[in-house]
Amino acid sequence: MKKELHEKQLNAIELLASGISQTDVAKMVGVDTRTITRWKAIPEFREGINIATEEAKKNIDKRIMQYADTILAELYNLATKAKSEKVRLDASTYLINRAAGTPIAKVETREVSDKDKNKEGDKELTWEDLEQNEISPSNDKVIDLKNR
């Protein structure tokens, strides 16, 4: 059975979905912040926030798309005509990354099998150990160094 939300709850949902803090929303609708916390435990209230948040995001996306051509033209202008080399580079990099995706730094790693482990017990292997033992790659992996 779905619970009907009252006017203060519906107002709170809209305000929370628009990004206003819980404390400010409580003041605006005339309740204590603990009341907002209790309302958030109600499934219909949470669902209302989720729906209103998605709707707000869609509206923002629509507004941004209205200006996309103008913004793209300005970025192109900056990339080609800005006096500052840094501005030209940043604008060009942004345009390329948006068109082709942001590149990541990649490093090849190799798994070390039991037979390749250092014979001296618990001593950690070094790069030199790996190179001297001519360990063959058993499983190529890629690590994104920028996001570590």
Side-chain angles (χ1 to χ4, degrees), residues 23-87:
T23 303
D24 290 341
V25 169
K27 289 176 187 171
M28 294 168 85
V29 296
V31 298
D32 191 273
T33 56
R34 292 175 297 205
T35 301
I36 302 287
T37 301
R38 280 193 302 275
W39 289 349
K40 285 183 170 182
I42 301 169
E44 292 82 5
F45 190 83
R46 282 195 314 270
E47 182 182 353
I49 291 173
N50 291 339
I51 291 169
T53 301
E54 284 304 312
E55 191 62 34
K57 287 179 184 178
K58 286 178 189 174
N59 289 335
I60 289 170
D61 287 344
K62 286 179 188 175
R63 289 178 60 201
I64 289 171
M65 290 309 295
Q66 288 175 338
Y67 301 104
D69 289 337
T70 304
I71 292 167
L72 185 58
E74 184 61 29
L75 272 170
Y76 179 77
N77 251 355
L78 289 170
T80 57
K81 298 177 181 164
K83 291 181 181 178
S84 165
E85 189 173 308
K86 170 113 174 76
V87 170

Side-chain angles (χ1 to χ4, degrees), residues 1-14:
M1 183 171 121
K2 280 200 164 202
K3 179 180 177 174
E4 282 290 317
L5 301 176
H6 56 74
E7 189 176 337
K8 284 187 177 186
Q9 289 173 319
L10 296 173
N11 289 339
I13 286 171
E14 291 300 318

Side-chain angles (χ1 to χ4, degrees), residues 85-100:
E85 189 173 308
K86 170 113 174 76
V87 170
R88 289 193 313 272
L89 175 64
D90 288 348
S92 298
T93 301
Y94 178 80
L95 287 170
I96 289 169
N97 288 346
R98 290 298 296 169

Side-chain angles (χ1 to χ4, degrees), residues 111-122:
E111 285 189 9
V112 179
S113 67
D114 286 340
K115 67 179 174 110
D116 296 325
K117 287 185 180 171
N118 193 319
K119 307 292 187 232
E120 296 179 26
D122 291 336

Side-chain angles (χ1 to χ4, degrees), residues 104-107 109 127 141-148:
I104 60 171
K106 294 181 180 179
V107 173
T109 62
W127 284 109
K141 292 184 179 178
V142 175
I143 298 173
D144 182 354
L145 295 177
K146 289 183 179 180
N147 292 326
R148 280 197 148 222

